[in-house]
Amino acid sequence: QSTYSLTLKLLLPAGRMTAAENSYVFTTEFDPDDIIEGTKSSIDLGYTVPHAKDPTYGNDFTSRGYITGFFWQPTLTYESSPDVITVFTFGLRTFGFMNTDYNIDVVAHPTNVWKIGTPGTDCEQFTPPHIGTTCRLRSFQGALASEANGFRLDVGTTPMINLGSQATPQFSLVIRNPPYSVNMYWT
C-alpha cells in the first residue's frame, strides 16, 4: 500500500462570510465520471473577514497595506541535512503602507515538527528586510507552548511602503532544520 501526502492551498473569498457559506467538497476522481472517494458533506473553512486588500475599505492605500509576495530563497550556504543549524533566506513584497500597527507571522509546516528555538527570543542572526524591522520566535498552533515553530516580523518605526517595487528585499535568520526530512511550506 502506498501513502501519499497532499497539500492544498485554498483562496478565501473576499468579504465577510460565515463558516457555512465558506465551505468546499473534496473528491478524488479517476475521470470526470468516476469519483473514487470524497467528503460526505461540505467542509467548513471557517469565517472570513475583510482584509486590507478588500474593496470594503476603499482604494486608498496610503494608510493600509498587505503582503503580495513571500518566498523562500535558499542561498549557496543553505544546508538541507536534517537537524542542522543553517541560514534561511526569504523574500518579501508588500503593497501600500504598513507601519508599526503591522506584524507578519511566519509559520513552518508541518507545525508539530519544526522546533526552531524558544518562543519570545530574538531570531538568531536576523538580517531585516527593511530598516527597523525586528524578529522574534513564536509558538503557533500545532507546537507546544515552549517550542517555537515560526517567527513574527514587527514593522519598525520606518513604514514599509510598496516594499519590493524596485528590488525584492530579503531577510535571513538562522534556524535548525527538523530532525528528519519533511515536505514543508512556509505561510
Side-chain angles (χ1 to χ4, degrees):
Q1 178 180 356
S2 297
T3 303
Y4 295 93
S5 175
L6 177 68
T7 300
L8 297 176
K9 281 201 166 194
L10 303 171
L11 297 176
L12 297 176
R16 188 176 300 272
M17 298 182 79
T18 65
E21 295 171 315
N22 192 15
S23 61
Y24 68 98
V25 175
F26 184 73
T27 59
T28 306
E29 301 174 0
F30 181 71
D31 59 45
D33 298 324
D34 296 324
I35 296 176
I36 297 171
E37 64 180 315
T39 55
K40 292 184 180 185
S41 61
S42 296
I43 299 171
D44 294 342
L45 287 174
Y47 68 92
T48 59
V49 295
H51 52 76
K53 188 178 178 183
D54 198 289
T56 303
Y57 298 113
N59 293 319
D60 179 14
F61 290 98
T62 59
S63 61
R64 72 177 201 281
Y66 57 92
I67 296 169
T68 59
F70 177 82
F71 37 92
W72 175 46
Q73 298 179 311
T75 62
L76 294 175
T77 59
Y78 171 73
E79 173 60 53
S80 63
S81 299
D83 209 31
V84 299
I85 296 173
T86 189
V87 176
F88 277 76
T89 302
F90 299 93
L92 177 68
R93 289 190 192 113
T94 67
F95 179 80
F97 178 89
M98 297 174 69
N99 61 10
T100 56
D101 295 335
Y102 288 83
N103 300 312
I104 302 169
D105 288 338
V106 181
V107 185
H109 290 260
T111 56
N112 62 331
V113 176
W114 288 84
K115 296 169 179 47
I116 62 176
T118 304
T121 60
D122 290 337
C123 296
E124 191 176 333
Q125 297 180 28
F126 176 64
T127 304
H130 189 67
I131 297 168
T133 304
T134 59
C135 177
R136 295 186 69 78
L137 299 180
R138 300 272 308 221
S139 178
F140 295 97
Q141 186 174 355
L144 297 174
S146 59
E147 297 173 340
N149 60 348
F151 52 90
R152 171 173 281 178
L153 299 178
D154 291 310
V155 178
T157 54
T158 304
M160 293 180 181
I161 302 172
N162 296 328
L163 195 61
S165 60
Q166 302 297 319
T168 302
Q170 296 180 337
F171 67 94
S172 61
L173 63 152
V174 171
I175 297 177
R176 178 180 293 279
N177 282 335
Y180 52 87
S181 298
V182 295
N183 289 325
M184 69 79 155
Y185 62 95
W186 293 85
T187 59

